[in-house]
Amino acid sequence: MIFYDSSFLPKIRGFCGNIYAVEHVRNTHLYNKNTSSLVRFFFPNSYRWGYPSWQHRANIAIGLLEFVLAVYQHTTEGMFYLCSLDESVIGYTNQFDVKLTDLSGIVPRNTLLGYSKGVHCTQNNACTYAKYCALQCNNDTNTCTTDLKRPNLHHICAVLDEYLYFDTHNPTRTELLQLFRRCYKLDNRNENAEMEHALVLNDLKSLLWKQIHSTS
């Protein structure tokens, strides 16, 4: 219940014992590339046919970037990692506000601390906790740390790249591509990694806001 009052989660409308009534989220995922059908066979990108307009998708993207910042700066319980959060659990309302439909892939840093204590390693590959939570190996102690190789924003950019880039018009398309390339280079092992993370996140939000306002 850590995020129970967060605007990024469906609101709790009421409860009876252990049963909760929550806000209805009509759109429970951003997209689904894994469905198999005759239509998908002939039109591989048909999963995009139901996408909202670019401006509305940009608004959803901004909400997702704000969520990344919120879990990074969470003050009461410490930092959280998006270890298996992907497009299948990122929903949105009819007003195009982000709503996370499953929090099981969001892991507190303390959980990784408990995991890393018992893992012996000689290289980073031995320190993979989950799909998007690959930890760093301390070569001096041969134990895993709680530091991610890649920040949360790194894999969220991959989700947004698929969701936004394909029909973005120039010159915004070129700017967005440059920002995604910067995002894919984010590496917590680099010097000034935290500063670059903040800059990329801020630049992405600024670009999207600028385009939303210019077309409204």
Side-chain angles (χ1 to χ4, degrees):
M1 297 295 287
I2 294 171
F3 295 105
Y4 78 96
D5 60 346
S6 170
S7 62
F8 303 108
L9 299 183
K11 292 182 174 59
I12 297 176
R13 301 300 191 189
F15 65 93
C16 180
N18 293 326
I19 301 174
Y20 290 83
V22 299
E23 173 188 11
H24 175 63
V25 179
R26 182 175 180 180
N27 309 285
T28 57
H29 56 267
L30 289 186
Y31 52 86
N32 185 359
K33 297 175 65 175
N34 298 320
T35 57
S36 58
S37 68
L38 191 60
V39 174
R40 281 295 305 277
F41 180 79
F42 288 105
F43 303 97
N45 293 327
S46 59
Y47 63 91
R48 293 173 175 164
W49 290 355
Y51 277 5
S53 69
W54 191 92
Q55 288 74 20
H56 287 150
R57 279 180 282 137
N59 189 76
I60 294 167
I62 289 170
L64 186 55
L65 292 170
E66 290 176 346
F67 177 72
V68 170
L69 184 62
V71 297
Y72 183 76
Q73 295 181 334
H74 203 281
T75 55
T76 58
E77 300 291 336
M79 189 183 300
F80 286 77
Y81 296 144
L82 310 182
C83 288
S84 57
L85 189 79
D86 59 24
E87 65 278 358
S88 66
V89 298
I90 302 169
Y92 56 93
T93 68
N94 290 337
Q95 290 73 44
F96 306 101
D97 296 320
V98 164
K99 297 291 181 180
L100 280 298
T101 57
D102 186 351
L103 296 184
S104 61
I106 301 176
V107 179
R109 186 185 180 97
N110 285 341
T111 297
L112 296 188
L113 179 62
Y115 162 81
S116 64
K117 284 181 178 178
V119 179
H120 175 83
C121 64
T122 56
Q123 55 186 355
N124 287 326
N125 291 343
C127 299
T128 300
Y129 176 83
K131 185 176 182 180
Y132 302 119
C133 277
L135 307 176
Q136 299 179 41
C137 177
N138 185 323
N139 293 325
D140 293 328
T141 62
N142 289 332
T143 57
C144 297
T145 70
T146 56
D147 298 318
L148 297 182
K149 289 194 293 182
R150 304 281 189 177
N152 291 327
L153 183 60
H154 180 268
H155 79 267
I156 293 299
C157 279
V159 173
L160 297 182
D161 190 347
E162 167 62 39
Y163 197 53
L164 285 176
Y165 180 73
F166 73 98
D167 64 346
T168 304
H169 300 298
N170 276 323
T172 305
R173 183 182 179 90
T174 301
E175 294 180 70
L176 192 58
L177 177 61
Q178 292 172 345
L179 283 172
F180 282 144
R181 285 175 174 172
R182 284 173 57 194
C183 190
Y184 293 144
K185 291 179 181 178
L186 290 175
D187 191 321
N188 286 332
R189 293 162 293 184
N190 293 341
E191 189 176 1
N192 299 322
E194 191 166 336
M195 179 181 296
E196 180 62 10
H197 178 278
L199 289 172
V200 171
L201 195 152
N202 184 68
D203 289 349
L204 275 168
K205 285 179 58 179
S206 297
L207 176 62
L208 296 176
W209 271 126
K210 182 177 71 174
Q211 293 310 306
I212 289 173
H213 291 317
S214 67
T215 56
S216 60

